[in-house]
Amino acid sequence: MQQQTIHIKQEEKKIWNILENVTDPEVPVLTILDLGIVRNVAINNNDVEICITPTYSGCPAMDMIAANIRMELMAAGYENIFIKNILSPAWTTDWMSEAGKQKLKAYGIAPPSDKPQVCNSGLFAPNEAIQCPQCNSYHTHRISEFGSTACKALYQCDNCKEPFDYFKCH
Amino acid sequence: MFQNKIDYLLFLADSNLILSQRNAEWCGHGPVLEQDIAITNITLDLLGQARNFYQYAATLINQSTNQPTKLVSEDSLAYLRTEREFKNLLLCELPKGDWAQSVLKIFFFGVYAQLLYRELMKNEDEQIAAIAEKSLKETNYHVRWSGEWVIRMGDGTEESNQRLKNALQYLWPFTGEMFVAAAFEINNGINLSAIKEQWLQHVTTVFEEATISMPDINAAMQSGGKQGIHTEHMGFILAEMQYLQRTYPNSEW
């Protein structure tokens, strides 16, 4: 019995490692593990169940992510793959890994702040101090709270003048 | 009781879908690029929320009918129901109009949805609570964005102020319907009169900032959406949205 449990744990770990190969189609430097959208991996006999959660309700990448998970697992020899979409608890940028944040910055997207200051619903919320991913200046301003994808806001650096995406806190 | 839950899910799904379809008309036509992107982002959120409600409604419908040959799906609910079967608020189907009309509509609906989702998060049905929890985070952004636009236009130039007033005059009679319970909303644990009070409070605060006077809250209001009796605009929006599935049944991407 105990041995079986250990075996399952090892198998699950193997699957987590395989999932490292699946990236976000919109932000290809991030793996789905960096994003924190894989919530659970479970093995039951020959069935593999993967629970994923969307970043935003309308995220158009979810179907493709599910398909890519399936492809990776099939390539590794798994057959009975069940991908479950769960909504609660709702995804938050707090689940993004430190490695993910570093990768985002290197890619030119400002990562979500550690301590979000404006995740509130107040009107004309003050601009969050977001660091420019190019020149590291905090002298930046928000152009729009909505950006090229649902998860990003548009900023511009007042120092190097470069516009950039900010992966907004959520 | 079970049918009430399905109808309520359809009401939430339809309202989000139709408002989303309406707002999508701005795609590529926004006044400036950033705002075009903003309104289409909001549109995408509304579409995602609608899908979540439709998917759950479809699951419940399929459970209740026990007819495996005629399974419904989120797509069949969106594309193959007729006008009389849609339960969305009339507010959501009104023409996009000018920028003032669109942002004011998003604001009115957003404040309502925000209050509703806060209540639905406590719903005993776990899936409804989960969808509400997810939707609320997105709706907070919509309310802030549209509220800021209402203030900017009301307290802006003579023309923006006039446009907002025109939009208000047109949209106001369609706001009352949100707070009148349909048969499927009775005993569902949502206190609509409490929500109405908070809604009025939020709108009043923003209107004060916008230097817009609050309209008569006892004015005569339009109704019918929740019962499937729609304005003359509804047929056109469905014709456009459902055209492909009606012409080429079962076509897929």
Side-chain angles (χ1 to χ4, degrees):
Chain A
M1 189 65 205
Q2 206 185 0
Q3 248 188 344
Q4 202 183 349
T5 318
I6 292 169
H7 177 69
I8 288 178
K9 287 279 163 239
Q10 282 171 341
E11 273 295 305
E12 285 177 359
K13 198 156 179 270
K14 229 167 91 189
I15 289 174
W16 281 103
N17 287 337
I18 293 168
L19 294 178
E20 277 285 3
N21 300 326
V22 182
T23 55
D24 179 347
E26 304 253 25
V27 190
V29 287
L30 290 185
T31 72
I32 54 173
L33 299 188
D34 290 331
L35 269 170
I37 61 177
V38 179
R39 302 316 301 159
N40 195 34
V41 169
I43 292 177
N44 198 351
N45 296 323
N46 285 325
D47 296 350
V48 181
E49 187 191 76
I50 315 277
C51 290
I52 53 174
T53 192
T55 53
Y56 284 73
S57 300
C59 178
M62 283 313 278
D63 289 341
M64 192 165 170
I65 289 172
N68 289 346
I69 291 175
R70 197 173 289 278
M71 301 255 281
E72 283 292 334
L73 289 175
M74 281 167 79
Y78 294 95
E79 279 170 2
N80 302 325
I81 304 153
F82 299 89
I83 297 169
K84 211 168 127 189
N85 225 319
I86 54 170
L87 294 173
S88 180
W91 178 83
T92 157
T93 35
D94 295 347
W95 293 345
M96 190 182 287
S97 69
E98 271 312 310
K101 288 181 184 175
Q102 295 304 322
K103 284 190 245 177
L104 265 185
K105 193 175 175 220
Y107 189 59
I109 297 174
S113 303
D114 288 335
K115 285 187 182 153
Q117 301 148 48
V118 285
C119 260
N120 65 46
S121 49
L123 293 166
F124 295 104
N127 271 354
E128 210 170 353
I130 302 302
Q131 195 180 19
C132 171
Q134 308 293 343
C135 75
N136 293 328
S137 168
Y138 276 98
H139 210 55
T140 62
H141 71 274
R142 186 173 70 206
I143 296 171
S144 172
E145 228 169 5
F146 298 89
S148 55
T149 64
C151 48
K152 285 178 263 161
L154 271 177
Y155 273 72
Q156 186 179 13
C157 179
D158 297 327
N159 189 42
C160 71
K161 309 291 182 209
E162 191 71 9
F164 64 91
D165 272 336
Y166 164 53
F167 205 108
K168 65 192 174 195
C169 82
H170 195 69
Chain B
M1 197 57 206
F2 197 63
Q3 188 57 44
N4 281 350
K5 190 192 273 191
I6 291 171
D7 286 346
Y8 191 59
L9 286 168
L10 289 175
F11 156 69
L12 294 169
D14 291 344
S15 295
N16 278 303
L17 176 70
I18 295 299
L19 183 58
S20 158
Q21 176 77 13
R22 198 50 103 189
N23 288 342
E25 291 171 28
W26 280 107
C27 188
H29 301 275
V32 289
L33 182 62
E34 289 78 9
Q35 297 307 325
D36 187 304
I37 290 171
I39 200 167
T40 42
N41 259 295
I42 290 170
T43 298
L44 187 62
D45 287 340
L46 295 175
L47 181 66
Q49 293 166 16
R51 285 189 63 190
N52 285 333
F53 286 121
Y54 279 131
Q55 283 166 6
Y56 187 40
T59 308
L60 295 185
I61 293 169
N62 290 333
Q63 272 171 17
S64 69
T65 53
N66 223 350
Q67 277 183 296
T69 49
K70 277 190 185 170
L71 289 180
V72 303
S73 66
E74 52 174 328
D75 285 338
S76 70
L77 291 173
Y79 294 126
L80 299 175
R81 282 185 308 143
T82 61
E83 184 175 331
R84 287 299 305 269
E85 292 170 288
F86 271 78
K87 302 179 198 315
N88 60 282
L89 295 167
L90 300 177
L91 180 74
C92 300
E93 73 203 39
L94 297 176
K96 84 178 204 299
D98 61 7
W99 189 250
Q101 193 168 308
S102 277
V103 294
L104 188 60
K105 199 196 300 170
I106 294 172
F107 177 66
F108 282 159
F109 181 76
V111 176
Y112 167 73
Q114 190 180 42
L115 295 166
L116 209 57
Y117 294 147
R118 275 186 203 148
E119 290 304 309
L120 288 173
M121 270 177 72
K122 299 176 244 164
N123 202 276
E124 57 188 18
D125 183 311
E126 279 179 17
Q127 186 61 11
I128 290 179
I131 300 172
E133 180 192 351
K134 184 81 201 159
S135 306
L136 180 63
K137 292 182 98 172
E138 295 154 3
T139 307
N140 290 340
Y141 276 105
H142 308 171
V143 169
R144 181 159 69 206
W145 177 84
S146 57
E148 286 175 1
W149 265 109
V150 169
I151 294 170
R152 198 175 281 124
M153 294 198 78
D155 197 18
T157 64
E158 205 176 306
E159 180 171 359
S160 70
N161 175 278
Q162 190 54 50
R163 281 179 184 248
L164 189 68
K165 280 182 183 153
N166 295 347
L168 178 58
Q169 197 184 6
Y170 177 63
L171 296 178
W172 188 251
F174 294 93
T175 57
E177 190 189 17
M178 297 190 275
F179 312 108
V180 181
F184 56 77
E185 285 177 286
I186 293 169
N187 298 327
N188 71 352
I190 300 288
N191 182 349
L192 280 180
S193 51
I195 286 189
K196 181 180 182 178
E197 209 167 291
Q198 294 172 63
W199 186 88
L200 284 170
Q201 234 169 40
H202 192 119
V203 171
T204 306
T205 310
V206 169
F207 277 11
E208 270 169 17
E209 289 275 330
T211 70
I212 294 281
S213 30
M214 199 62 185
D216 180 7
I217 58 169
N218 296 314
M221 293 287 174
Q222 301 281 352
S223 65
K226 291 175 179 177
Q227 287 76 34
I229 300 166
H230 293 278
T231 66
E232 64 273 30
H233 308 291
M234 186 66 178
F236 293 96
I237 197 170
L238 287 187
E240 187 171 9
M241 189 179 77
Q242 298 184 334
Y243 167 80
L244 200 113
Q245 277 304 319
R246 300 281 190 192
T247 316
Y248 305 101
N250 305 321
S251 56
E252 282 181 36
W253 281 105

